C-alpha cells in the first residue's frame, strides 16, 4: 500500500516537472524562433528615452503595434488638423528595424479627440467626418502600414452593438462603411476587427462572426479578427480559447492574438509575486503559443503582447491594482512568462 502511495507521489512530481517552465535568458530573439510575426505594443517616448526598453523592442520583436500613437486623438487632435509627426517617427523606427507595423486603431469609442465626441451634424455629415479621418490616415501610411484595426470593440459581451458616437449618429452600418472607406483608401492593406472577451463570451464571438459574415457576403473586405487576450491564468480556460480560435479559423479569417497580457491579480488586493504564480503565468503563455500554432499557417497573422515590461502595462493604473501581466519584470529582465513564450515557440 505504502509503495503505491510513493509511486503515485513520484508520478505526480514527474508530471509537475514535465509541466514546469524552465528559467531562461532572452539571448535568442523570440521572433527568430517563430515562423509567424511576434509583435509588441509600443510607446514612442519609451522607445526614445528608455534604452532597456528600446533594446528589447528591437531585438525580440518583428512586428509593432503603436499602443496609442495611431488613435484618433493622437492623429487628428483638431478637426481637419492631422498630426503625423510622432506616428511617422515610430514608423521610421520600425522600418529601420525591419518590423511590420500593425495600425491600431481607426475607430473606437475611447481616445477620441474632444471635437470628434462633440461633433454636430446630420448623418451625412457624420459619415463624411468618419470617412475623412479613415481615409486621410490610411492614405498617409499607405505602403508602410501593413494592416489596420479598422474598428475596435464595437460589440458588448452579450453580443449587442456597443453604444458609441458612431452607432448613435450613423447607425449599425458604420462598421460596413468604415471597412469600405479603409479598403478604398488602400486596397493593399489588411483590414481587421479587434475586440476583447471574444474567447470568454460565446455570444460576443458569435455576434461578431455573424455580423462580419454578413458584410463579407455583401462583398466588403474583412481580412482578419484580432483576439485581444487580456486574460487571467484560468479565465478564459484553454478550451474556451481553442473554441474561439476554431470558430474564427472556420470562418476563414486571419487571426491576430493582438493584445496579450496575463493578469496575476484576480482579487485586486495586495499580492505576493510567488514563483508559483510566475510559473502558472508562464504555462498559460506557453499554452497560448501552442494554441496559436494550431491555426493553419496561412491564417496566422501573429502574436502581439500589449507592452514590454510590467512597468509599462496599462493594467495597474487602469484597475488600480498591483499586477505583473507582461513578459519582462520591472527591471526589464525576462520572466517565466517570457520563457513560456519561448518554450511554446520551440515546442
Ligand atoms: O494601452 C493603452 C493605454 O496606454 C491607454 O491608456 C488605454 C486607454 O483606453 O488604451 C490602452 O490600450 C487599449 C487598446 O487600445 C484597446 N484594447 C484595450 C487596451 C487596454 O485598455
Amino acid at each position: 500500500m505504502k509503495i503505491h502511495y510513493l509511486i503515485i507521489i513520484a508520478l505526480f512530481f514527474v508530471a509537475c516537472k514535465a509541466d514546469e517552465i524552465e528559467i531562461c535568458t532572452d539571448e535568442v530573439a523570440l521572433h527568430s524562433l517563430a515562423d509567424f510575426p511576434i509583435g509588441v505594443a509600443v510607446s514612442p517616448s519609451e522607445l526614445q528615452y528608455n534604452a532597456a526598453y528600446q533594446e528589447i523592442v528591437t531585438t525580440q520583436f518583428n512586428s509593432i503595434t503603436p499602443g496609442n500613437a495611431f488613435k484618433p486623438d493622437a492623429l487628428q487632435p483638431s478637426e481637419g488638423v492631422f498630426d503625423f509627426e510622432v506616428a511617422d517617427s515610430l514608423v521610421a523606427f520600425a522600418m529601420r528595424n525591419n518590423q511590420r507595423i500593425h495600425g491600431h486603431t481607426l475607430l473606437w469609442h475611447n481616445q477620441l479627440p474632444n471635437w470628434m465626441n462633440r461633433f454636430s451634424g446630420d448623418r451625412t455629415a457624420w459619415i463624411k467626418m468618419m470617412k475623412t479621418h479613415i481615409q486621410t490616415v490610411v492614405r498617409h501610411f499607405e505602403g508602410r502600414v501593413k494592416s489596420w484595426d479598422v474598428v475596435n470593440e464595437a460589440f458588448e459581451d452579450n453580443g449587442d452593438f456597443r453604444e458609441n458616437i458612431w452607432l448613435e449618429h450613423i447607425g449599425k452600418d458604420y462598421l460596413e462603411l468604415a471597412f469600405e472607406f479603409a479598403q478604398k483608401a488602400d486596397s493593399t492593406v489588411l483590414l481587421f476587427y479587434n475586440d476583447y472577451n471574444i474567447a470568454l463570451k460565446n455570444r460576443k464571438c458569435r455576434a461578431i462572426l455573424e455580423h462580419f459574415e454578413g458584410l463579407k457576403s455583401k462583398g466588403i473586405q474583412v481580412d482578419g479578427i484580432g483576439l485581444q487576450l487580456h486574460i487571467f491564468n484560468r479565465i478564459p480556460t484553454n478550451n474556451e480559447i481553442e473554441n474561439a480560435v476554431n470558430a474564427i479559423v472556420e470562418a476563414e479569417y486571419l487571426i491576430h492574438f493582438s493584445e496579450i497580457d496575463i493578469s496575476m491579480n484576480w482579487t485586486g488586493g495586495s499580492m505576493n509575486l510567488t514563483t508559483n504564480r510566475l510559473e502558472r503565468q508562464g504555462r498559460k503563455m506557453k499554452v497560448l503559443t501552442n494554441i496559436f500554432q494550431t491555426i493553419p499557417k496561412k491564417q496566422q497573422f501573429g502574436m502581439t503582447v500589449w507592452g514590454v515590461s510590467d512597468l509599462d502595462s496599462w493594467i495597474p493604473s487602469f484597475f488600480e491594482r498591483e499586477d505583473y501581466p507582461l513578459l519582462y519584470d520591472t527591471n526589464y529582465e525576462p520572466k517565466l512568462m517570457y520563457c513560456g513564450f519561448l518554450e511554446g515557440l520551440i515546442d
Side-chain angles (χ1 to χ4, degrees):
M1 196 64 171
K2 268 189 187 153
I3 295 221
H4 277 130
Y5 276 129
L6 282 178
I7 292 172
I8 288 168
I9 290 167
L11 282 175
F12 175 75
F13 278 112
V14 169
C16 286
K17 187 85 191 154
D19 221 21
E20 233 172 54
I21 302 294
E22 300 282 335
I23 295 173
C24 69
T25 68
D26 62 351
E27 275 157 41
V28 179
L30 290 172
H31 77 81
S32 69
L33 301 170
D35 50 6
F36 53 85
I38 304 290
V40 61
V42 298
S43 136
S45 60
E46 290 297 326
L47 273 182
Q48 197 173 350
Y49 300 113
N50 182 338
Y53 181 102
Q54 191 193 111
E55 166 78 11
I56 293 170
V57 170
T58 46
T59 54
Q60 296 293 323
F61 301 97
N62 57 357
S63 177
I64 296 285
T65 303
N68 293 308
F70 282 21
K71 287 171 179 168
D73 60 350
L75 295 184
Q76 197 185 175
S78 315
E79 187 173 358
V81 180
F82 287 82
D83 181 352
F84 291 115
E85 202 182 318
V86 174
D88 280 342
S89 63
L90 185 56
V91 170
F93 168 89
M95 290 176 77
R96 276 198 303 278
N97 293 302
N98 295 318
Q99 291 163 314
R100 173 182 82 178
I101 300 149
H102 175 70
H104 172 85
T105 172
L106 295 169
L107 291 194
W108 195 22
H109 58 274
N110 273 336
Q111 290 175 284
L112 298 170
N114 286 336
W115 72 266
M116 214 179 245
N117 271 319
R118 297 202 200 109
F119 185 80
S120 78
D122 60 8
R123 183 170 180 272
T124 313
W126 270 87
I127 293 176
K128 186 162 174 261
M129 182 269 274
M130 181 179 92
K131 180 177 180 183
T132 302
H133 182 77
I134 292 177
Q135 297 203 323
T136 308
V137 171
V138 172
R139 283 197 186 115
H140 177 83
F141 293 108
E142 190 175 351
R144 297 184 292 160
V145 166
K146 170 90 184 159
S147 48
W148 275 101
D149 288 331
V150 178
V151 181
N152 191 45
E153 301 171 10
F155 288 84
E156 298 284 358
D157 284 355
N158 66 5
D160 289 349
F161 284 98
R162 179 194 288 275
E163 299 286 341
N164 64 25
I165 55 168
W166 314 109
L167 185 72
E168 185 186 342
H169 297 284
I170 297 175
K172 289 174 186 163
D173 53 350
Y174 84 86
L175 285 134
E176 167 175 347
L177 290 168
F179 276 81
E180 220 179 332
F181 294 151
Q183 193 276 336
K184 292 225 166 84
D186 178 357
S187 61
T188 64
V189 83
L190 296 169
L191 307 177
F192 280 75
Y193 174 74
N194 189 51
D195 213 330
Y196 62 88
N197 283 353
I198 292 181
L200 185 63
K201 302 289 176 183
N202 197 254
R203 284 170 72 184
K204 184 173 200 167
C205 182
R206 274 187 288 137
I208 291 168
L209 289 181
E210 249 174 61
H211 187 75
F212 286 102
E213 218 28 64
L215 298 202
K216 284 209 290 185
S217 67
K218 282 176 157 179
I220 306 286
Q221 180 189 327
V222 184
D223 300 291
I225 303 285
L227 267 88
Q228 292 185 6
L229 294 169
H230 298 293
I231 61 174
F232 292 87
N233 278 331
R234 295 204 179 92
I235 304 167
T237 63
N238 301 337
N239 213 262
E240 286 169 326
I241 300 172
E242 278 162 4
N243 289 342
V245 164
N246 291 340
I248 300 170
V249 164
E250 241 167 69
E252 297 183 345
Y253 291 101
L254 294 168
I255 303 185
H256 188 194
F257 282 5
S258 56
E259 302 184 14
I260 300 169
D261 45 40
I262 307 177
S263 276
M264 297 179 110
N265 192 353
W266 169 243
T267 55
S270 68
M271 59 167 286
N272 290 329
L273 193 56
T274 58
T275 312
N276 231 330
R277 284 196 159 123
L278 289 161
E279 278 229 344
R280 281 207 295 272
Q281 188 187 40
R283 279 202 291 275
K284 188 75 174 188
M285 190 64 215
K286 184 172 177 177
V287 167
L288 278 188
T289 313
N290 291 148
I291 294 176
F292 190 83
Q293 286 163 307
T294 66
I295 298 168
K297 269 272 131 305
K298 62 177 195 323
Q299 285 172 270
Q300 294 178 347
F301 184 72
M303 289 178 73
T304 297
V305 285
W306 204 243
V308 176
S309 86
D310 290 335
L311 275 185
D312 317 308
S313 170
W314 64 288
I315 289 176
S317 60
F318 188 86
F319 294 108
E320 294 182 353
R321 68 169 187 241
E322 190 179 344
D323 217 324
Y324 306 92
L326 290 170
L327 300 178
Y328 283 81
D329 69 16
T330 52
N331 295 314
Y332 292 92
E333 293 296 333
K335 291 161 61 191
L336 287 172
M337 180 172 164
Y338 174 98
C339 307
F341 200 173
L342 186 139
E343 285 186 23
L345 291 173
I346 57 184
D347 245 4

